[in-house]
Amino acid sequence: MKIAAIAPVLNEVDFVGYSVMAALSGMHSFHYGIDEKTSDGTLELIRMLSETIGKGKVFWYKAPEFNIDPMNMKQYNGAFNCLIECARSTGAEAVMFLHPDMVITNPEVIEGIK
């Protein structure tokens, strides 16, 4: 099964690279909605990953729907729904939330999910 990781992100440069690298071998794709308030290099790092080791697997999006207020659940859910559609457009059959500070330690298990 082709499983994609999705997450809206705001200032996650310290974590996102490690998170992607740990799961790269088992994940179909990664989809990050970049909040426009991000100012710590997160966008640049994700862009670099999408152009190098994650080419064809790491995608990033920067649009108003990713400028989320965590206290506004409708807005937060809308960002997730948008990322689900982005993942589906690349052939993902299922999605999982993988926040950049979460690390998958056994990516080979993902490949075996049916």
Side-chain angles (χ1 to χ4, degrees):
M1 177 175 284
K2 297 176 182 176
I3 300 176
I6 63 169
V9 294
L10 170 65
N11 292 332
E12 298 290 348
V13 74
D14 292 338
F15 307 104
V16 72
Y18 188 66
S19 181
V20 168
M21 295 306 297
L24 191 62
S25 66
M27 202 64 67
H28 170 69
S29 56
F30 299 81
H31 301 266
Y32 294 104
I34 311 294
D35 190 304
E36 289 180 344
K37 295 181 291 299
T38 295
S39 61
D40 69 343
T42 298
L43 173 59
E44 292 78 10
L45 177 57
I46 292 174
R47 183 182 295 149
M48 185 271 302
L49 289 168
S50 75
E51 295 170 354
T52 58
I53 192 105
K55 190 171 185 121
K57 288 184 96 170
V58 175
F59 301 91
W60 59 273
Y61 313 91
K62 196 169 180 184
E65 52 265 25
F66 301 119
N67 302 332
I68 58 172
D69 172 2
M71 299 307 290
N72 182 334
M73 289 309 293
K74 184 175 181 180
Q75 188 181 31
Y76 199 63
N77 291 338
F80 276 99
N81 289 336
C82 185
L83 287 168
I84 290 168
E85 290 305 314
C86 292
R88 289 179 65 196
S89 74
T90 64
E93 300 168 298
V95 298
M96 64 178 284
F97 172 62
L98 182 66
H99 192 271
D101 65 0
M102 298 165 69
V103 176
I104 293 176
T105 58
N106 50 352
E108 67 280 357
V109 172
I110 296 168
E111 294 173 333
I113 296 174
K114 296 183 178 15

